[in-house]
Amino acid sequence: KISRFQNIPTLSFVSAFNWQNLSNTSFFSNDSRWIDYSYLGLKLSMDLPTTVSKLATSKNKQYQTLILKSNVEHAIKESETKSRQLILDFEKALRQVRNFRKIVDLKQDTYNKNFNQYQENILALDKLLISHNDLLIAKLNLVSALANVGFNKSKIDINNKY
């Protein structure tokens, strides 16, 4: 706006209160008359439209304003997208926990059946150890998924705070 207002004509109040003593004989001669050059008035000033730097500055500022508005819209959309992505990551982690709980339940059931078969000497020890190892890995995956849920929840809290 300022760069556009620089091209608007300006109206100024001007005044002068002058007296002059003109003489060819000496300074302040008694024979000379005092001449009054006093005036009051208004002065209208206007730049010609050919002032290239002012016009370029005005257009440049308009383009900068458009760019800044576009940047604000982009930042808002980027923030919304980031927020949606955090929520999706959190929901994904929750689904992963549910799936890992089911896997742990299945691995626990498999281990219990294999343990019962081992006690009756139907199953070899190495197969029991493999099923126990699978159970432990499933429990570790569940703990990792729970930690991931907490991590994603913290990211959402931090994003909402700042």
Side-chain angles (χ1 to χ4, degrees):
K1 287 182 180 180
I2 291 172
S3 64
R4 273 190 276 139
F5 288 150
Q6 287 177 346
N7 295 322
I8 293 176
T10 57
L11 186 63
S12 305
F13 175 75
V14 290
S15 66
F17 300 104
N18 300 319
W19 289 275
Q20 191 171 13
N21 188 335
L22 301 173
S23 171
N24 289 334
T25 57
S26 67
F27 286 114
F28 299 109
S29 171
N30 289 335
D31 294 336
S32 65
R33 293 183 309 136
W34 286 90
I35 300 173
D36 184 13
Y37 290 107
S38 301
Y39 62 89
L40 295 172
L42 298 174
K43 179 175 102 174
L44 182 66
S45 307
M46 176 169 42
D47 278 342
L48 295 175
T50 58
T51 309
V52 176
S53 64
K54 286 187 178 181
L55 289 174
T57 302
S58 176
K59 284 295 181 185
N60 190 15
K61 294 300 180 188
Q62 285 177 350
Y63 292 137
Q64 286 177 353
T65 302
L66 290 173
I67 289 170
L68 289 174
K69 286 179 182 177
S70 175
N71 287 346
V72 166
E73 290 173 5
H74 177 71
I76 289 170
K77 290 183 182 196
E78 185 178 7
S79 175
E80 290 172 353
T81 303
K82 183 180 178 184
S83 178
R84 278 191 231 127
Q85 183 62 42
L86 289 173
I87 291 170
L88 288 174
D89 288 345
F90 180 71
E91 290 173 354
K92 177 183 168 187
L94 285 176
R95 276 184 259 126
Q96 203 172 28
V97 165
R98 279 187 237 122
N99 289 338
F100 280 134
R101 280 198 176 129
K102 291 176 185 176
I103 291 171
V104 165
D105 290 341
L106 290 173
K107 294 292 182 179
Q108 182 70 45
D109 186 49
T110 302
Y111 172 73
N112 289 339
K113 288 178 183 176
N114 287 344
F115 184 72
N116 289 338
Q117 289 177 354
Y118 172 74
Q119 284 183 336
E120 299 197 14
N121 290 327
I122 299 173
L123 189 68
L125 180 61
D126 60 336
K127 300 230 182 209
L128 177 66
L129 291 175
I130 290 172
S131 67
H132 187 262
N133 191 32
D134 289 343
L135 175 63
L136 290 176
I137 289 171
K139 286 182 179 180
L140 286 174
N141 287 339
L142 177 62
V143 170
S144 174
L146 287 170
N148 196 17
V149 167
F151 175 70
N152 285 320
K153 177 74 169 113
S154 296
K155 281 181 15 181
I156 290 172
D157 290 342
I158 289 170
N159 188 48
N160 289 340
K161 186 181 288 186
Y162 300 107

Short mmCIF file of all heavy atoms in Angstrom, two decimals, residues 3-4 6-7 47-61:
data_model
loop_
_atom_site.label_atom_id
_atom_site.label_comp_id
_atom_site.label_asym_id
_atom_site.label_seq_id
_atom_site.Cartn_x
_atom_site.Cartn_y
_atom_site.Cartn_z
N SER A 3 3.86 1.65 -1.22
CA SER A 3 4.47 1.91 -2.52
C SER A 3 3.43 2.46 -3.52
O SER A 3 3.77 3.24 -4.40
CB SER A 3 5.13 0.65 -3.07
OG SER A 3 4.17 -0.34 -3.31
N ARG A 4 2.17 2.06 -3.37
CA ARG A 4 1.12 2.63 -4.23
C ARG A 4 0.80 4.06 -3.83
O ARG A 4 0.55 4.92 -4.68
CB ARG A 4 -0.14 1.77 -4.17
CG ARG A 4 -0.12 0.64 -5.16
CD ARG A 4 -1.45 -0.04 -5.26
NE ARG A 4 -1.53 -1.02 -4.18
CZ ARG A 4 -2.61 -1.25 -3.44
NH1 ARG A 4 -3.72 -0.62 -3.69
NH2 ARG A 4 -2.59 -2.14 -2.47
N GLN A 6 2.79 6.21 -2.74
CA GLN A 6 3.85 7.12 -3.16
C GLN A 6 3.55 7.73 -4.52
O GLN A 6 4.10 8.77 -4.87
CB GLN A 6 5.20 6.37 -3.23
CG GLN A 6 5.77 6.04 -1.88
CD GLN A 6 7.05 5.25 -1.99
OE1 GLN A 6 7.40 4.74 -3.04
NE2 GLN A 6 7.76 5.17 -0.89
N ASN A 7 2.70 7.10 -5.30
CA ASN A 7 2.36 7.62 -6.63
C ASN A 7 1.14 8.55 -6.61
O ASN A 7 0.80 9.12 -7.64
CB ASN A 7 2.09 6.47 -7.59
CG ASN A 7 3.34 5.66 -7.83
OD1 ASN A 7 4.43 6.21 -7.92
ND2 ASN A 7 3.20 4.35 -7.94
N ASP A 47 4.16 12.81 -9.30
CA ASP A 47 5.20 12.16 -10.09
C ASP A 47 4.62 11.77 -11.43
O ASP A 47 3.47 11.35 -11.52
CB ASP A 47 5.73 10.91 -9.39
CG ASP A 47 6.77 11.24 -8.35
OD1 ASP A 47 7.31 12.35 -8.40
OD2 ASP A 47 7.03 10.39 -7.48
N LEU A 48 5.44 11.85 -12.42
CA LEU A 48 5.01 11.37 -13.73
C LEU A 48 4.96 9.84 -13.69
O LEU A 48 5.73 9.20 -12.98
CB LEU A 48 5.99 11.85 -14.80
CG LEU A 48 6.02 13.36 -15.01
CD1 LEU A 48 7.10 13.72 -16.01
CD2 LEU A 48 4.67 13.87 -15.49
N PRO A 49 4.08 9.24 -14.48
CA PRO A 49 3.99 7.78 -14.45
C PRO A 49 5.23 7.10 -15.02
O PRO A 49 5.31 5.89 -15.05
CB PRO A 49 2.76 7.47 -15.30
CG PRO A 49 2.26 8.73 -15.84
CD PRO A 49 3.05 9.85 -15.28
N THR A 50 6.18 7.88 -15.48
CA THR A 50 7.39 7.28 -16.04
C THR A 50 8.45 7.02 -14.97
O THR A 50 9.56 6.63 -15.31
CB THR A 50 7.98 8.21 -17.11
OG1 THR A 50 8.26 9.47 -16.53
CG2 THR A 50 7.04 8.34 -18.28
N THR A 51 8.13 7.24 -13.71
CA THR A 51 9.07 6.94 -12.64
C THR A 51 9.13 5.43 -12.50
O THR A 51 8.32 4.81 -11.81
CB THR A 51 8.63 7.60 -11.32
OG1 THR A 51 8.37 8.97 -11.56
CG2 THR A 51 9.70 7.46 -10.26
N VAL A 52 10.10 4.84 -13.17
CA VAL A 52 10.16 3.38 -13.30
C VAL A 52 10.41 2.70 -11.96
O VAL A 52 9.80 1.68 -11.64
CB VAL A 52 11.27 3.00 -14.32
CG1 VAL A 52 11.42 1.49 -14.39
CG2 VAL A 52 10.94 3.58 -15.66
N SER A 53 11.27 3.26 -11.15
CA SER A 53 11.60 2.58 -9.88
C SER A 53 10.39 2.49 -8.96
O SER A 53 10.18 1.47 -8.31
CB SER A 53 12.76 3.30 -9.19
OG SER A 53 12.38 4.61 -8.84
N LYS A 54 9.58 3.55 -8.91
CA LYS A 54 8.40 3.51 -8.05
C LYS A 54 7.37 2.51 -8.57
O LYS A 54 6.75 1.78 -7.80
CB LYS A 54 7.78 4.89 -7.90
CG LYS A 54 8.58 5.81 -7.01
CD LYS A 54 7.85 7.09 -6.76
CE LYS A 54 8.65 7.98 -5.83
NZ LYS A 54 7.97 9.23 -5.53
N LEU A 55 7.17 2.49 -9.88
CA LEU A 55 6.21 1.54 -10.45
C LEU A 55 6.71 0.10 -10.26
O LEU A 55 5.93 -0.80 -9.94
CB LEU A 55 6.01 1.82 -11.94
CG LEU A 55 5.22 3.10 -12.27
CD1 LEU A 55 5.22 3.34 -13.77
CD2 LEU A 55 3.81 2.99 -11.75
N ALA A 56 8.01 -0.11 -10.46
CA ALA A 56 8.57 -1.45 -10.27
C ALA A 56 8.44 -1.88 -8.81
O ALA A 56 8.11 -3.04 -8.53
CB ALA A 56 10.03 -1.47 -10.70
N THR A 57 8.68 -0.96 -7.89
CA THR A 57 8.55 -1.28 -6.47
C THR A 57 7.11 -1.64 -6.13
O THR A 57 6.86 -2.60 -5.40
CB THR A 57 9.00 -0.09 -5.61
OG1 THR A 57 10.35 0.23 -5.94
CG2 THR A 57 8.89 -0.38 -4.14
N SER A 58 6.16 -0.89 -6.69
CA SER A 58 4.75 -1.17 -6.43
C SER A 58 4.36 -2.55 -6.93
O SER A 58 3.74 -3.34 -6.21
CB SER A 58 3.89 -0.10 -7.09
OG SER A 58 2.54 -0.38 -6.93
N LYS A 59 4.74 -2.87 -8.18
CA LYS A 59 4.42 -4.20 -8.73
C LYS A 59 5.14 -5.30 -7.96
O LYS A 59 4.57 -6.37 -7.69
CB LYS A 59 4.81 -4.26 -10.21
CG LYS A 59 3.85 -3.55 -11.10
CD LYS A 59 2.50 -4.23 -11.06
CE LYS A 59 1.52 -3.55 -11.97
NZ LYS A 59 0.19 -4.11 -11.86
N ASN A 60 6.39 -5.05 -7.61
CA ASN A 60 7.16 -6.04 -6.85
C ASN A 60 6.49 -6.34 -5.52
O ASN A 60 6.39 -7.50 -5.09
CB ASN A 60 8.59 -5.54 -6.65
CG ASN A 60 9.50 -6.60 -6.09
OD1 ASN A 60 9.18 -7.77 -6.10
ND2 ASN A 60 10.64 -6.18 -5.60
N LYS A 61 6.02 -5.31 -4.84
CA LYS A 61 5.34 -5.51 -3.55
C LYS A 61 4.03 -6.27 -3.73
O LYS A 61 3.67 -7.09 -2.88
CB LYS A 61 5.07 -4.16 -2.86
CG LYS A 61 6.32 -3.42 -2.45
CD LYS A 61 7.15 -4.21 -1.48
CE LYS A 61 8.38 -3.43 -1.09
NZ LYS A 61 9.31 -4.20 -0.30
#
